[in-house]
Amino acid sequence: MKFISTLIACAPAVSALWPIPTTYTYGDSVLFINKNTPVTYNGKQTSLASVSTNSFAATSYGSSNGSVTGAQIVATAIQRTSQTIFNQNYVPWKFHPRNADFEPSSNSTGNVIKSIKLVQNASDPTDIGRPDVGDIDESYTLDVTTDGSVVISAKSSQGIAHGLTTFTQLFYQYSSGGAYTPLAPVSITDAPKFAYRSLQMDTARAFYPVPDVLRMIDAAAYNKFNHFHMHATDSQSWPLEIPTYANLSALGAYRKDFVYSTSDLQQIQEYAATLGVEVVIEIDSPGHSGSISYSRPDLITAFNIQPNWDSYAAEPPSGALKLNSSAVYEFLEGLYGDLLPRVKPYTSYFHTGGDEINVMDYLLDDTVRSDSDSVIQPLLQKFVDRNHAQIRANGLHPVVWEEMLLTWNLTLGSDVLIQTWESVTDSVALTVSKGHKALAGNYNYWYLDCGQGQWLDFYPNVSASWWPYNDYCSPRKNWRLMYSYDPLAGIPANETHLVVGGVVAIWSEQTDAANLDRMVWPRAGAAAEVLWSGAKDASGQNRSQVTASPRLADMRERLLARGVQAEPVHMPFCTMDGTQCGEIHANS
């Protein structure tokens, strides 16, 4: 039997998994699998071909007071297992020497997976569809014997689902039909390093049809992310339907059909929930809210100041909610009153934004008329307190951008998650030093949109000064750089528990539905493995990109099979041997 640490020397690259499990041993026996393989979940039997979302409806392990039950999560995971193995698989020719006859003999088709036993040995919490950070034990074990017996054990339905996701990665498409694994026996133990693992998508600066959003959630779940952050509104557009204020989207969206209706949002939330993913909605405020002005100009200050927009905002159009306005407070009461009850069944978190506040806006705010921090800070505290009180009253926890704590020094509740992103200071370390829970996401590592060049146009009199027109966060964050980011770097041992996870983000200044897939995948997978497996290996060293590279390339092929147009990690020449594209000399 082979160990994962000897992967490169002893076995083809396709023997490895993404994200890498805590422990993993495998052999070299072939097992085929068929669609009628029986599956039992705590004694209830179905098969890969016949499972439905109601197959385990009466199980005692599926209780929930939210929108999704543990039984639904498991049933969905079984359905996805069948779909992945039999319909979304690939022939791994890129991972074998050219013209190699690598597939098993058809004579071995008698060696098959005989049964899949799913054992959940603890009850799910009642809020399995919307857990707080750390409330769910996502660990699992996976064992495959040479005689075709499969057992996946976990303490939660989400752990069972993770085990099934890993199970699918053991199998490859057989050229003449069917699927097989060449790796039996297999023994895996696995658990995530961080409880909060999120992909963030900006659906305000560009509109993405619902199928694109669902495809991103599917790929995220396959990489074991468990949160999906929708940056739902911004100054550029308001594409989210709020029935209480119908004109927000009717007038604030780019087009009348570029709107996420209430049913669209519910579809996104329900789809994600069955995959064990919480959709976290962000309504950014008080900045980044200029699109409200299209329907309620009385609520917004400094809207679309031209041509000197850069004195009032990080990018055009400028516009912020007035900070000391009873009309704004009334508006927010109605907005949250409409949206929060629709969010609550699917998540425990709601993001109130708070980044990139520009004090110049408040010189133009008739309720403030000042750009002084000493004037603005207490008004901002009152503004945030109001919002967070309503969020908590709806059974949710607030999430904010780091500026609320680190720039404005607001008093925030212990339940608030602080999403860090800047790198001028060590935002994660500063956040946890103040006793708050942090989400890592340094833009110099984990912003997927960086390195595309400027999207602004420069007038002739200033153009030369901006040459070669790099964007603010250039260069592009290649997967190796992303993989090198350690959320725990520089964090004292007694504060590491406060780093609860991280967020990898795709912003949409230069991303839309046409290039979304390649902008996100497979690079986001690098962050996924850091968040699931940790940045360090068992010996405390940074994980090797030499061993990670073929595993990520395998994940890329699996994403392609799922309909995700992910970029290549490298050319086939590199994966066919696995050792010929390494650099052993230092850069001089």
Side-chain angles (χ1 to χ4, degrees):
M1 187 174 292
K2 299 162 185 171
F3 288 83
I4 191 66
S5 61
T6 60
L7 170 67
I8 294 300
C10 300
V14 288
S15 62
L17 306 170
W18 195 277
I20 192 169
T22 307
T23 68
Y24 171 30
T25 63
Y26 59 90
D28 56 10
S29 295
V30 173
L31 291 171
F32 281 76
I33 189 169
N34 63 64
K35 294 181 180 180
N36 294 318
T37 303
V39 181
T40 60
Y41 171 44
N42 284 357
K44 291 203 166 191
Q45 185 163 319
T46 182
S47 73
L48 289 177
S50 63
V51 68
S52 74
T53 54
N54 296 318
S55 293
F56 312 114
T59 179
S60 61
Y61 291 92
S63 59
S64 172
N65 62 1
S67 67
V68 64
T69 67
Q72 289 173 314
I73 290 173
V74 172
T76 300
I78 298 171
Q79 289 176 325
R80 280 164 54 85
T81 297
S82 179
Q83 179 75 2
T84 298
I85 291 175
F86 299 111
N87 302 108
Q88 297 174 328
N89 214 331
Y90 80 103
V91 176
W93 63 268
K94 293 181 182 178
F95 298 90
H96 298 274
R98 67 185 66 208
N99 300 316
D101 184 15
F102 61 85
E103 290 195 309
S105 166
S106 59
N107 294 330
S108 62
T109 56
N111 301 322
V112 299
I113 298 293
K114 296 181 176 64
S115 65
I116 300 172
K117 184 178 181 181
L118 309 177
V119 180
Q120 186 176 333
N121 45 39
S123 295
D124 281 329
T126 56
D127 59 354
I128 185 64
R130 51 181 305 274
D132 287 357
V133 165
D135 277 1
I136 301 296
D137 186 334
E138 298 178 81
S139 65
Y140 68 91
T141 63
L142 166 60
D143 292 286
V144 182
T145 65
T146 53
D147 65 359
S149 173
V150 178
V151 178
I152 297 173
S153 297
K155 294 182 179 179
S156 69
S157 54
Q158 290 191 9
I160 295 289
H162 292 318
L164 284 167
T165 295
T166 300
F167 179 71
T168 67
Q169 294 181 25
L170 299 173
F171 288 86
Y172 303 93
Q173 180 181 328
Y174 196 51
S175 294
S176 57
Y180 70 96
T181 178
L183 303 170
V186 174
S187 182
I188 291 171
T189 63
D190 203 9
K193 177 73 172 179
F194 295 98
Y196 192 109
R197 307 176 303 279
S198 182
L199 173 64
Q200 176 179 325
M201 185 172 171
D202 174 8
T203 57
R205 290 178 177 86
F207 179 81
Y208 300 89
V210 169
D212 292 333
V213 179
L214 300 182
R215 190 173 66 257
M216 287 300 103
I217 292 171
D218 173 81
Y222 199 64
N223 280 262
K224 296 189 172 75
F225 284 107
N226 64 353
H227 290 78
F228 183 79
H229 174 163
M230 281 186 71
H231 183 81
T233 62
D234 212 295
S235 285
Q236 290 76 19
S237 82
W238 187 290
L240 188 66
E241 182 186 27
I242 305 294
T244 299
Y245 301 126
N247 279 342
L248 276 175
S249 58
L251 301 178
Y254 285 131
R255 292 176 15 173
K256 292 187 182 299
D257 57 337
F258 277 23
V259 172
Y260 299 105
S261 67
T262 56
S263 60
D264 289 338
L265 180 60
Q266 184 175 8
Q267 180 186 1
I268 291 167
Q269 293 170 311
E270 288 183 348
Y271 180 80
T274 60
L275 304 186
V277 175
E278 291 185 56
V279 175
V280 179
I281 302 297
E282 178 189 358
I283 303 295
D284 206 349
S285 69
H288 289 281
S289 54
S291 59
I292 295 172
S293 189
Y294 291 107
S295 59
R296 289 293 303 273
D298 57 309
L299 305 180
I300 298 296
T301 183
F303 177 61
N304 200 19
I305 302 296
Q306 294 289 348
N308 298 319
W309 59 265
D310 54 353
S311 295
Y312 298 91
E315 60 184 51
S318 57
L321 281 167
K322 293 179 179 180
L323 205 52
N324 194 26
S325 164
S326 59
V328 167
Y329 278 28
E330 181 181 352
F331 166 80
L332 290 169
E333 185 76 23
L335 170 65
Y336 284 8
D338 183 310
L339 183 57
L340 295 180
R342 294 190 282 118
V343 166
K344 181 181 178 180
Y346 305 98
T347 182
S348 287
Y349 295 93
F350 186 84
H351 202 307
T352 60
D355 61 319
E356 298 180 324
I357 293 173
N358 191 312
V359 297
M360 292 289 289
D361 292 348
Y362 299 109
L363 280 174
L364 305 182
D365 181 350
D366 59 6
T367 71
V368 179
R369 296 295 188 195
S370 175
D371 63 354
S372 170
D373 288 0
S374 63
V375 172
I376 294 170
Q377 198 273 352
L379 294 176
L380 187 59
Q381 180 75 65
K382 179 182 176 184
F383 180 93
V384 170
D385 285 348
R386 194 226 71 83
N387 293 341
H388 287 191
Q390 190 174 359
I391 289 166
R392 292 187 182 100
N394 279 269
L396 297 160
H397 304 302
V399 187
V400 298
W401 290 104
E402 65 173 69
E403 289 95 321
M404 295 289 89
L405 178 69
L406 302 182
T407 301
W408 291 100
N409 196 30
L410 297 190
T411 299
L412 300 169
S414 60
D415 62 329
V416 178
L417 297 185
I418 312 298
Q419 184 174 353
T420 66
W421 68 280
E422 294 194 283
S423 63
V424 177
T425 58
D426 193 343
S427 300
V428 178
L430 285 174
T431 296
V432 299
S433 72
K434 294 175 178 289
H436 284 280
K437 291 178 285 223
L439 299 174
N442 187 321
Y443 74 81
N444 275 326
Y445 294 88
W446 280 6
Y447 270 21
L448 294 159
D449 54 296
C450 295
Q452 299 299 106
Q454 282 283 356
W455 50 271
L456 295 167
D457 296 321
F458 299 97
Y459 287 93
N461 61 316
V462 299
S463 180
S465 68
W466 288 93
W467 188 90
Y469 313 110
N470 291 326
D471 55 53
Y472 83 98
C473 56
S474 287
R476 190 175 194 259
K477 313 312 174 192
N478 63 73
W479 79 262
R480 291 173 177 83
L481 178 67
M482 297 179 68
Y483 197 63
S484 71
Y485 179 49
D486 184 358
L488 298 180
I491 307 299
N494 65 340
E495 294 176 348
T496 56
H497 66 285
L498 292 173
V499 184
V500 298
V503 184
V504 58
I506 181 67
W507 298 99
S508 295
E509 286 87 350
Q510 295 182 90
T511 305
D512 63 14
N515 68 341
L516 173 64
D517 288 14
R518 70 173 181 83
M519 289 290 287
V520 176
W521 303 105
R523 289 185 297 147
E529 177 153 300
V530 169
L531 290 170
W532 179 273
S533 310
K536 308 292 186 185
D537 62 21
S539 65
Q541 301 300 307
N542 288 340
R543 294 190 185 278
S544 169
Q545 60 182 253
V546 175
T547 56
S549 174
R551 293 188 297 105
L552 185 59
D554 174 71
M555 172 53 77
R556 185 259 180 168
E557 298 300 315
R558 296 185 182 279
L559 290 172
L560 288 175
R562 304 183 79 79
V564 179
Q565 298 305 303
E567 290 183 329
V569 174
H570 35 39
M571 55 188 166
F573 173 83
C574 298
T575 55
M576 283 182 164
D577 179 271
T579 61
Q580 296 184 102
C581 292
E583 176 59 72
I584 63 173
H585 300 290
N587 188 22
S588 59

